[in-house]
Amino acid sequence: MVEFSANTKAEPPTPCVRAFAPATVGNVICGFDVFGLAMETPGDEVEVRHRSDPGVVITAIHGDEGRIPTESDHNVASVAARAVLMESGMGNIGLDIEIWKGLPLSGGMGGSAASSVAAAVATDTLLETGLTKEALLQCALNGEKRATGSAHPDNVAPALHGGLVMVRPDAPAVAIDLPVPRGLTIALIHPHLELETKAMREALSTDVPLTLAVAQWADCAALVVGLYEEDWDLISRALMDRIAQPTRSPFVPGFTEVRAAAIEAGAVGAGLSGSGPSVFGLCRNLRDAEVVANAMIQAFASAGLDRIDSYVSPVDSRGARIVGGTA
């Protein structure tokens, strides 16, 4: 029998917090770098705990097959967590970070944004810093910039806020929540391809004909009106991308057929999720979304891509959230 003296003190458990941030669809077809929406599933989880020494350390990453860097300066989660420390005036605090990847790498589902947002939210909760969503958005954007080379919030903002948001190109960026029509559901198909966001941005032309730009602006405005009025016909007519998708879609085998299959099966609109290769359809309800998902799966199979993941999800209304309390 092991005896303990009355003066023996048990070591307190290491406080830790785990946060979840959802997958996101960037651009939402017509709104390049402007619109983004959150899915209920899948997503990334990040756990943050105190460590005795200063600095931010990545202790483990699960689900990435060893491909994501663990060096603090090169990992989006640690960069975002450090930004929270600096924003809160706690630069000397030490943190250990563990990451569970539920999103594919370079899959067009906001994987780097989800890890960045989850890390920022977990760090803020652990340290009880009480940062505003505006401040957390900027901290998470530090991580996103590490991954893509530039801070574009159309994935970070919906991962943080939930729902469907638009982002003004202010400095700092401002996210505006938009209404989500009742029943709006996402059918998303991820073929097992990888398209790096940075490379897909470099593929875009910086010169856009005025007629195309005007049409795109009009569709963005029409989409906002359609969302507020729950006008499915107007939403459908607004979901057209004349700028980014024509350049990026050739990198996804069978894209034209997959998009056509989604529309024919009942999707209100369909297009690349972010920079691809994932393709999504927006649908009026869950039943339609399941039909649309099956149609896109068959179209991808006809194009020779049968290693795919399929997701049917309502628009997530919560955004990033704590899934494990301090312990």
Side-chain angles (χ1 to χ4, degrees):
M1 178 183 296
V2 178
E3 296 183 356
F4 295 91
S5 69
N7 295 326
T8 300
K9 294 183 178 180
E11 288 293 325
T14 302
C16 66
V17 171
R18 186 186 294 203
F20 167 88
T24 51
V25 172
N27 302 333
V28 193
I29 303 176
C30 62
F32 177 71
D33 281 355
V34 175
F35 296 134
L37 60 81
M39 301 173 62
E40 284 190 353
T41 185
D44 286 357
E45 293 187 9
V46 175
E47 187 171 276
V48 180
R49 62 183 71 89
H50 286 292
R51 68 189 313 265
S52 57
D53 299 323
V56 180
V57 176
I58 303 294
T59 59
I61 304 174
H62 309 278
D64 70 322
E65 300 179 344
R67 298 175 56 195
I68 296 176
T70 56
E71 295 85 354
S72 179
D73 291 339
H74 298 282
N75 185 285
V76 300
S78 53
V79 170
R82 187 182 301 114
V84 172
L85 294 180
M86 301 307 295
E87 178 70 19
S88 307
M90 298 183 180
N92 291 326
I93 296 292
L95 298 175
D96 283 336
I97 294 179
E98 192 166 358
I99 302 168
W100 285 263
K101 289 296 296 181
L103 297 177
L105 306 185
S106 301
M109 297 174 65
S112 59
S115 290
S116 299
V117 168
V121 169
T123 303
D124 175 65
T125 302
L126 177 68
L127 302 179
E128 298 181 339
T129 50
L131 295 182
T132 64
K133 279 194 174 180
E134 290 76 11
L136 287 171
L137 178 65
Q138 303 312 313
C139 293
L141 281 172
N142 279 271
E144 179 77 340
K145 185 176 182 179
R146 172 70 264 179
T148 65
S150 54
H152 297 282
D154 56 321
N155 288 111
V156 171
L160 178 63
H161 284 243
L164 201 163
V165 301
M166 64 176 281
V167 185
R168 283 180 49 81
D170 297 286
V174 175
I176 301 170
D177 296 320
L178 296 173
V180 176
R182 287 167 294 181
L184 185 64
T185 307
I186 306 110
L188 186 146
I189 308 300
H190 169 66
H192 284 210
L193 302 172
E194 293 185 11
L195 296 177
E196 291 187 1
T197 301
K198 185 177 181 180
M200 289 297 97
R201 294 193 74 86
E202 291 173 350
L204 297 176
S205 172
T206 56
D207 297 318
V208 178
L210 182 59
T211 53
L212 292 185
V214 170
Q216 196 92 342
W217 297 333
D219 280 338
C220 287
L223 178 58
V224 172
V225 173
L227 293 172
Y228 271 97
E229 297 187 352
E230 293 195 15
D231 185 334
W232 291 106
D233 181 62
L234 181 57
I235 291 170
S236 179
R237 287 185 284 120
L239 291 174
M240 181 75 67
D241 184 2
R242 300 166 176 81
I243 295 175
Q245 194 163 272
T247 301
R248 290 170 164 175
S249 59
F251 291 91
V252 181
F255 169 81
T256 300
E257 292 75 17
V258 172
R259 179 181 180 278
I263 300 297
E264 184 177 350
V268 177
L272 292 177
S273 178
S275 58
S278 296
V279 181
F280 78 104
L282 288 183
C283 306
R284 292 177 174 84
N285 52 57
L286 178 62
R287 183 181 60 185
D288 285 357
E290 290 173 343
V291 173
V292 167
N294 287 330
M296 289 195 291
I297 289 171
Q298 294 174 17
F300 264 129
S302 297
L305 297 175
D306 52 7
R307 294 187 63 231
I308 58 177
D309 301 312
S310 174
Y311 306 95
V312 173
S313 170
V315 176
D316 176 65
S317 62
R318 295 174 290 173
R321 50 200 177 266
I322 301 304
V323 293
T326 55

